Amino acid sequence: MLKPHKKITKRQIKEDPLVTYYFKTLDFIREHQQKIYIGAIAVLALLFMVIMFSKSKRSAELNASEALTKANYELSQSRTQEAIDILLNMVDNYSGTKSAAKGVYLLGKAYFEKGDYEKAQMYFKRYIDDYSDDPILVNGAYSGLGASLEQQNKFLEAAEIYEKGAKKFEKNFLAPRLLMKAGRCYQRANKIAKAKACYQIVIEKYAESKFKNDAELYLAKLNA
């Protein structure tokens, strides 16, 4: 014979841990309802801001990339001033983007082509100081900065920049080229010992490079 189900009392229901937790949670929500709503709204607002920031950043990168492409085209057509105008606007409006960083480098290059060596010096230096993601462009910026100083007859400063770039990228295939330029500028600055040292490094450290023979020739002339 089946036994009748035992009826659960209200007291037993109240003593059930899960039920107790449920009612406590309801009481907490009722008591702190306004704060919970405010917190939820704050979280949603923060999420919205993150989404909008991400969208804005993508849009800025896209616009900056488009401007960079236009500037490169103008440079390829020898319309240097047009390229400079595009780049200046892009660097100002899209600062922080990858394309803006490249724009700073291109401004140095464009001003150099225009013959404005002081501004070329400024932008090449700015690229070296502020950006280091692209070793090829940083190397190019050292070369451009040295050349800008050289064009202003600042041979000692140019030599030091070339040498600094060569040391920073000593494993790069462009390092011996920078050392040769440093040696030449040290000669122009009448710093013969430093010039010899640069040529000697090329001979010893970059014996496989195409600059070794030139370095040996220049060193022999200085030792004659």
Side-chain angles (χ1 to χ4, degrees), residues 63-151:
N63 291 336
S65 179
E66 184 179 344
L68 188 68
T69 300
K70 289 179 180 178
N72 270 314
Y73 176 76
E74 296 296 344
L75 284 173
S76 71
Q77 299 300 308
S78 299
R79 293 195 286 263
T80 308
Q81 187 56 53
E82 287 83 350
I84 288 173
D85 293 339
I86 293 171
L87 290 168
L88 286 172
N89 182 66
M90 186 258 284
V91 168
D92 287 340
N93 291 331
Y94 303 109
S95 176
T97 63
K98 292 180 180 179
S99 293
K102 292 179 181 177
V104 171
Y105 173 82
L106 278 183
L107 275 168
K109 184 178 177 181
Y111 276 119
F112 189 90
E113 289 181 5
K114 191 181 177 183
D116 192 337
Y117 302 117
E118 288 186 1
K119 285 188 178 178
Q121 173 188 338
M122 179 179 73
Y123 281 102
F124 282 131
K125 186 176 186 304
R126 179 176 167 184
Y127 188 85
I128 291 169
D129 291 342
D130 295 346
Y131 307 102
S132 59
D133 293 341
D134 191 328
I136 294 177
L137 288 187
V138 177
N139 194 300
Y142 272 104
S143 185
L145 177 55
S148 299
L149 291 165
E150 200 173 344
Q151 289 294 327

